[in-house]
Amino acid sequence: MYFREPTADDGSEIFELVKKSKVLDVNSSYSYLMWGKYFNKTSIVAVVDRKIVGFISGFLQPTAPDTLFIWQVVVDQSQRGKGLATTLLLKLIKRLENTNIRFLEATVTPTNKPSNNLFKGLAKKLETEYTQYECFSEDQFPDPSHEAEIAYRIGPLK
């Protein structure tokens, strides 16, 4: 397994990985092309045998340039339960350590236990604090079945 920045050529494969996850909101295929081309420095893929088995999309928040926002974390079914999501996050943070990033943020629905555990565990591994707050309420989503999105703010990163 190796880790690298995504490219626009990865967009189609990332789109399929997210779709197969059956857990994440699937964005347009165009958005994954854009992640590979324009947000590649703040995103990462894991590759095994020339197949993408993990992806994290991230971006610097325009109003808080010291904060890396993690939009999606997806791991192929074949790699789940092996700590790959944590490894991807740690490798991405390590790659960005010479930048001014001091915080990491992400949103998670309350019932998504694996992601809640991921971000709590990440704060512990990084030996830093985390706070939580409601980022988007259920009422803000046009889909009545969408849960609230709770934000994790982890940091300061060392």
Side-chain angles (χ1 to χ4, degrees):
M1 183 176 300
Y2 69 98
F3 303 87
R4 63 172 172 77
E5 294 176 7
T7 68
D9 289 339
D10 297 324
S12 178
E13 192 174 351
I14 293 168
F15 174 75
E16 291 300 324
L17 180 64
V18 171
K19 208 162 71 169
K20 279 185 2 188
S21 79
K22 295 186 166 90
V23 178
L24 296 174
D25 291 336
V26 180
N27 299 297
S28 72
S29 56
Y30 177 75
S31 72
Y32 297 104
L33 295 173
M34 295 219 13
W35 283 112
K37 185 170 179 105
Y38 297 113
F39 299 98
N40 57 321
K41 299 293 184 200
T42 53
S43 300
I44 191 169
V45 293
V47 181
V48 172
D49 296 328
R50 294 179 285 178
K51 178 185 173 199
I52 295 173
V53 296
F55 169 66
I56 292 180
S57 57
F59 62 88
L60 297 180
Q61 289 191 20
T63 58
D66 67 342
T67 303
L68 175 66
F69 186 86
I70 301 299
W71 188 359
Q72 287 189 309
V73 176
V74 62
V75 172
D76 186 77
Q77 183 67 38
S78 69
Q79 300 298 317
R80 291 188 189 153
K82 300 178 181 181
L84 180 55
T86 299
T87 300
L88 281 162
L89 285 166
L90 291 171
K91 288 194 176 287
L92 181 58
I93 291 166
K94 177 77 171 158
R95 182 169 17 110
L96 297 170
E97 73 181 353
N98 292 325
T99 67
N100 69 338
I101 294 172
R102 297 193 60 240
F103 297 93
L104 182 142
E105 287 188 357
T107 64
V108 180
T109 58
T111 59
N112 185 339
K113 299 291 184 220
S115 291
N116 281 289
N117 291 337
L118 170 66
F119 291 110
K120 289 175 185 175
L122 180 68
K124 188 174 183 173
K125 280 189 186 304
L126 294 172
E127 298 178 348
T128 193
E129 301 297 316
Y130 74 87
T131 57
Q132 293 176 280
Y133 62 92
E134 186 176 76
C135 186
F136 300 111
S137 69
E138 290 177 18
D139 297 340
Q140 290 178 289
F141 288 96
D143 176 359
S145 67
H146 201 295
E147 294 180 81
E149 290 279 348
I150 307 303
Y152 280 84
R153 181 169 173 83
I154 299 169
L157 304 178
K158 299 171 184 167

